[in-house]
Amino acid sequence: MKVDAAGVRSRPRVEGGREEEILDATVAVVAELGYDRLTMDAVATAAKASKATLYRRWTSKAELVVDAISRAKGCPMPEDVDTGSLRGDLISISCGDGGFTDELPMSVVAGLLTALHRDQELQKAFRELFLAPRLEITSKAYERAVDRGEIAPDVDVDLLSVTLPAVIIQHAYVLGIPPTDDLILRVIDNVILPAARGSQAS
């Protein structure tokens, strides 16, 4: 086990492109089986790697899964694109790679939901490594909208910024309605933008 410049112990990385292959295999297994049924054996089989290789790099399945959902190619981040409007930014974030219509990231989230309620290590890492960077991109889109004057001064921007994901997640995981471009556009045009105008909308 190595020690970095800050004195923090780090485990050896897997050589070459094998680490990336293992991470992608982990994401696929989470999407297929869910976190509870995922085992290191299942990941090793999917990645065509030995279980010993996995344990040399990751101490637990929680550590492996969190690393995978934050770094694997199969679970991309949405791009932070300034389209010039809040509507355009939200469409870009929500409907592009890594957005709500990207099947694999959504399947991964579904596979983690039950475990997130009871596994504090997984929950903490999920929030910091998976959610936080995505929320930052969304926050920047709303900050630009405020600067452009698209959001009225009396609007609760913090609440508004989580409304779209809340509605989409409600549809996907509670009502069983898959996210589509049409659904996202309906929420943006009928909920987000009118709310952004605040009392000015009347």
Side-chain angles (χ1 to χ4, degrees), residues 11 26 35 38-40 43 51 54-68 119 121-122 125:
R11 300 180 72 82
T26 303
Y35 181 82
L38 178 144
T39 63
M40 297 297 255
V43 173
K51 194 162 65 169
L54 269 60
Y55 277 113
R56 278 196 300 270
R57 177 68 180 90
W58 299 277
T59 58
S60 65
K61 77 173 186 177
E63 184 178 324
L64 170 59
V65 167
V66 169
D67 200 13
D119 190 320
E121 178 189 1
L122 179 66

Side-chain angles (χ1 to χ4, degrees), residues 16 26 43 50-52 67 75 97 110 126 132 137 147 155 166 175 181 196:
T26 303
V43 173
S50 71
K51 194 162 65 169
D67 200 13
C75 224
D97 290 345
F126 179 77
I137 290 173
D147 292 340
V155 170
L175 302 179
D181 291 349

Side-chain angles (χ1 to χ4, degrees), residues 13-144:
R13 305 187 77 83
V14 180
E15 292 184 1
R18 290 297 288 141
E19 181 159 322
E20 191 172 279
E21 292 172 3
I22 291 170
L23 295 178
D24 283 333
T26 303
V27 166
V29 174
V30 172
E32 179 184 357
L33 300 179
Y35 181 82
D36 292 330
R37 293 170 57 200
L38 178 144
T39 63
M40 297 297 255
D41 280 324
V43 173
T45 298
K48 296 181 174 60
S50 71
K51 194 162 65 169
T53 298
L54 269 60
Y55 277 113
R56 278 196 300 270
R57 177 68 180 90
W58 299 277
T59 58
S60 65
K61 77 173 186 177
E63 184 178 324
L64 170 59
V65 167
V66 169
D67 200 13
I69 64 174
S70 60
R71 294 203 296 127
K73 279 186 178 178
C75 224
M77 282 276 293
E79 287 190 52
D80 183 12
V81 179
D82 184 354
T83 66
S85 72
L86 177 60
R87 185 178 191 272
D89 287 356
L90 293 179
I91 292 172
S92 176
I93 293 168
S94 303
C95 300
D97 290 345
F100 297 121
T101 57
D102 198 338
E103 183 178 353
L104 188 54
M106 291 295 284
S107 297
V108 168
V109 172
L112 297 178
L113 280 179
T114 56
L116 285 171
H117 289 293
R118 63 176 183 276
D119 190 320
Q120 292 187 349
E121 178 189 1
L122 179 66
Q123 183 183 100
K124 181 175 184 293
F126 179 77
R127 286 177 175 172
E128 292 177 355
L129 299 176
F130 186 84
L131 281 183
R134 287 161 173 78
L135 291 174
E136 183 177 358
I137 290 173
T138 301
S139 295
K140 287 180 180 178
Y142 280 93
E143 288 171 6
R144 291 193 295 265

Side-chain angles (χ1 to χ4, degrees), residues 137-167:
I137 290 173
T138 301
S139 295
K140 287 180 180 178
Y142 280 93
E143 288 171 6
R144 291 193 295 265
V146 169
D147 292 340
R148 287 191 294 258
E150 292 183 85
I151 298 179
D154 61 335
V155 170
D156 185 337
V157 179
D158 290 337
L159 180 60
L160 184 64
S161 66
V162 298
T163 300
L164 176 58
V167 173

